[in-house]
Amino acid sequence: MSAQLPKLKRIAIFLATIFTASISGMVHADWSFKGLGTLGGSGGINLSFAADINDTGQTVGYSYTSGGSFHAFIMDPNGIGMTDLGTLGGNLSIATGINDSGQVVGYSRTKDGSTHAFITGPNGIGMTDLGVLAGEDNYGINNSGQVVGTHSFISGGLFSWRAFITGPNGIGMTDLDTLGGNYSTGNAINDSGQVVGGSDDSKTSIHYAHAFITGPNGIGMTDLGTLGGDYSVANAINDSGEAVGVATTAHGESHSFT
């Protein structure tokens, strides 16, 4: 989810380099840059990457650890302290989203080397495996703990992928199907459980997908069309059900839409 940054004091996160700067002459805003550091780094690699922030200022992402692998992390409110969230038993975890309770979603390698989605409890406590439907992808989460993303699978000897939604707190995982074709991606979810993403239909291929929106709790999938071209995808949605994304025009140009 995207954070609503305070009007008079906004914090932008720059990682791996620790410095501060201010921009003068801006009305109603005082921007500063704050480095969050890393999880220690190893072998000359000392990196961290922020992925999402909630309304309390808790940031999540992933960082190279002193053990020589990338682990998901969570920060305390307003970028204070960096906590390693661990893994599902393997050597990698990536955090991609956080809600206002501090529940974190992402993906991790398991002990057998496969990749599963995960969800944590409030404030990043505990890591629960969301099961075999999910894989390596960017996951979104709303304030009920419903998770959205994309799972991959083999069908008829062919590789395919579909959008999914879970129930509150990541319980249960439902395939959202497609607009009539073979593929769909779940990119974002709002607090009503409306999901947006992209899907092909029976007449097109994934290269000519259309943006979609669902009803509450992922029920139904409506084609949002394009801007006159043959491709569109929705990437975010607010709690009023307004979606944003990118679509091609009749002249083949890619334009943002809302």
Side-chain angles (χ1 to χ4, degrees), residues 2 69 212:
S2 297
S69 61
F212 71 79

Side-chain angles (χ1 to χ4, degrees), residues 100-139:
D100 288 342
S101 298
Q103 290 180 290
V104 182
V105 291
Y107 59 89
S108 173
R109 290 208 182 110
T110 63
K111 189 174 182 179
D112 66 6
S114 58
T115 304
H116 289 191
F118 71 79
I119 187 173
T120 74
N123 300 312
I125 297 174
M127 184 179 284
T128 300
D129 190 332
L130 288 181
V132 296
L133 264 185
E136 187 171 319
D137 192 44
N138 291 323
Y139 299 98

Side-chain angles (χ1 to χ4, degrees), residues 53-165:
I53 186 171
N54 67 12
D55 285 349
T56 68
Q58 290 178 295
T59 303
V60 294
Y62 57 100
S63 174
Y64 208 64
T65 70
S66 57
S69 61
F70 282 106
H71 280 196
F73 70 77
I74 186 173
M75 309 293 298
D76 291 336
N78 298 316
I80 299 172
M82 181 179 284
T83 300
D84 187 337
L85 293 180
T87 73
L88 291 173
N91 62 358
L92 172 77
S93 61
I94 305 290
T96 61
I98 185 171
N99 66 13
D100 288 342
S101 298
Q103 290 180 290
V104 182
V105 291
Y107 59 89
S108 173
R109 290 208 182 110
T110 63
K111 189 174 182 179
D112 66 6
S114 58
T115 304
H116 289 191
F118 71 79
I119 187 173
T120 74
N123 300 312
I125 297 174
M127 184 179 284
T128 300
D129 190 332
L130 288 181
V132 296
L133 264 185
E136 187 171 319
D137 192 44
N138 291 323
Y139 299 98
I141 185 170
N142 66 13
N143 284 324
S144 298
Q146 290 178 292
V147 180
V148 66
T150 306
H151 71 96
S152 57
F153 58 95
I154 302 295
S155 177
L158 299 176
F159 182 77
S160 188
W161 58 92
R162 298 275 180 86
F164 73 82
I165 188 175

